[in-house]
Amino acid sequence: MLKRRPKRRYISILHAGQPSDAINMMIKRHMELFGCISTERAAIRLMQSENNRMIIRCKLEQLDSVLISIAFSELPAITMGISGSIHRLQKSISNSLVYC
Amino acid sequence: MGISKIGTPLEDAICEGIIYRLKSAPAGPVKYPYLIVSDNIENSNMSDHADIITISSFRRAKERLRKRKIRNGIGLEMMITPIRKLDGIGVAKWFEDIRDLRLFCHSTHCQLILSSGANSIYEMVSGRCFDAILRNCDIEPDKHWHGMEKWIEECLSKRVSV
């Protein structure tokens, strides 16, 4: 039987404070609201960080709960974009920054 | 961010495409769209003229809102920014409050308004996050935004503008 790789989503976030603090606060909030099992299942990982922008990865099936954790994170953070691939996300962010 | 209309407190400069939040109605006709916002449920003079009443805790405000018999079509707003400071239990209670408020709005013909309450760019909430919050409260995002758009248009059409 084929073992299918779970679908993931890459989320670009603009945050206050340090990237490690921002992602730890998000994971903490996710754990408080949705529990340890769901947080582990979400597999939230920091992929890239630059100044006050970072890209995190999570599983598609937990995307809504991750977005809620970002919105309610103690350290303010805002979702800038979501994509299925990191390259497409980077491209869309750079396009939107040009428009800004 | 997927949000086409935003509201902001009125400061010196007036920008196009922004709906301003005022505490009281301006004396004469103005060139900008605005909504009157009040956080005072008790003061009937204030809340009778308001388009939006901001509620910090629906649990505490529920009885007062019932007794005051608020008029149809008023917007009842809850903000996200103050909730960030609460612990997990506090946030979970807020989600339950939103579910209750939705039922209350449905029975009293009011409009449920979710807003970021942002004081800085980092505190803003994206459209996708709002959708996720709404889905978590068993509210269909498309239906909610459609209702919001209709409600804003109705409120603004009552205003006198130059």
Side-chain angles (χ1 to χ4, degrees):
Chain A
M1 205 169 93
L2 275 173
K3 195 183 174 190
R4 297 192 112 188
R5 199 178 64 170
K7 284 196 175 182
R8 290 164 180 157
R9 284 294 176 267
Y10 294 86
I11 309 167
S12 160
I13 297 166
L14 190 70
H15 61 86
Q18 294 296 315
S20 56
D21 292 340
I23 194 159
N24 286 339
M25 289 285 191
M26 259 170 243
I27 292 170
K28 186 185 159 221
R29 186 59 96 194
H30 196 282
M31 224 174 253
E32 284 175 347
L33 294 176
F34 303 100
C36 300
I37 296 172
S38 177
T39 306
E40 207 49 49
R41 226 172 255 169
I44 304 165
R45 300 281 182 274
L46 176 65
M47 303 305 289
Q48 273 180 19
S49 72
E50 193 191 339
N51 300 324
N52 54 354
R53 278 202 299 265
M54 67 177 176
I55 293 176
I56 64 163
R57 186 185 74 187
C58 72
K59 284 198 189 148
L60 173 62
E61 55 182 23
Q62 311 287 333
L63 181 64
D64 270 4
S65 62
V66 173
L67 291 175
I68 289 170
S69 308
I70 295 167
F72 289 93
S73 173
E74 218 178 312
L75 204 64
I78 173 172
T79 309
M80 299 295 288
I82 303 167
S83 183
S85 84
I86 200 162
H87 298 292
R88 234 182 300 154
L89 182 62
Q90 282 166 335
K91 212 174 162 183
S92 72
I93 296 164
S94 58
N95 283 345
S96 64
L97 288 176
V98 167
Y99 287 119
C100 287
Chain B
M1 281 174 68
I3 295 173
S4 59
K5 284 191 180 88
I6 65 163
T8 176
L10 177 62
E11 282 162 6
D12 298 337
I14 293 164
C15 301
E16 220 171 287
I18 290 176
I19 300 165
Y20 290 96
R21 297 164 63 96
L22 306 183
K23 284 182 180 164
S24 58
V30 288
K31 286 182 178 175
Y32 52 83
Y34 67 89
L35 294 170
I36 302 164
V37 185
S38 170
D39 54 4
N40 195 340
I41 308 167
E42 298 296 347
N43 189 341
S44 58
N45 208 19
M46 289 278 280
S47 51
D48 277 353
H49 295 98
D51 298 303
I52 300 172
I53 295 178
T54 306
I55 301 164
S56 51
S57 165
F58 182 61
R59 268 155 220 252
R60 274 182 262 153
K62 201 174 178 177
E63 280 311 307
R64 277 182 288 165
L65 284 169
R66 280 222 174 100
K67 278 179 195 163
R68 281 268 300 106
K69 284 187 180 168
I70 45 167
R71 67 177 159 82
N72 284 359
I74 203 164
L76 298 176
E77 179 187 49
M78 283 186 81
M79 290 181 172
I80 289 171
T81 295
I83 310 306
R84 287 180 196 265
K85 295 179 186 90
L86 301 181
D87 59 1
I89 297 166
V91 178
K93 280 181 178 172
W94 183 87
F95 271 99
E96 272 310 297
D97 279 0
I98 293 288
R99 280 172 205 257
D100 278 355
L101 180 58
R102 178 206 173 203
L103 295 175
F104 181 84
C105 286
H106 193 75
S107 63
T108 53
H109 304 285
C110 293
Q111 177 63 46
L112 164 69
I113 303 170
L114 261 188
S115 76
S116 67
N119 295 311
S120 75
I121 189 169
Y122 301 113
E123 287 177 352
M124 288 171 79
V125 178
S126 70
R128 290 291 294 265
C129 286
F130 272 125
D131 288 355
I133 293 165
L134 289 167
R135 270 195 293 272
N136 204 52
C137 298
D138 300 327
I139 302 169
E140 216 177 287
D142 284 350
K143 225 173 165 180
H144 174 79
W145 296 122
H146 189 72
M148 272 293 292
E149 205 170 345
K150 221 171 133 189
W151 179 82
I152 288 174
E153 274 166 18
E154 269 174 31
C155 280
L156 296 178
S157 66
K158 291 175 200 160
R159 301 264 175 258
V160 181
S161 58
V162 179

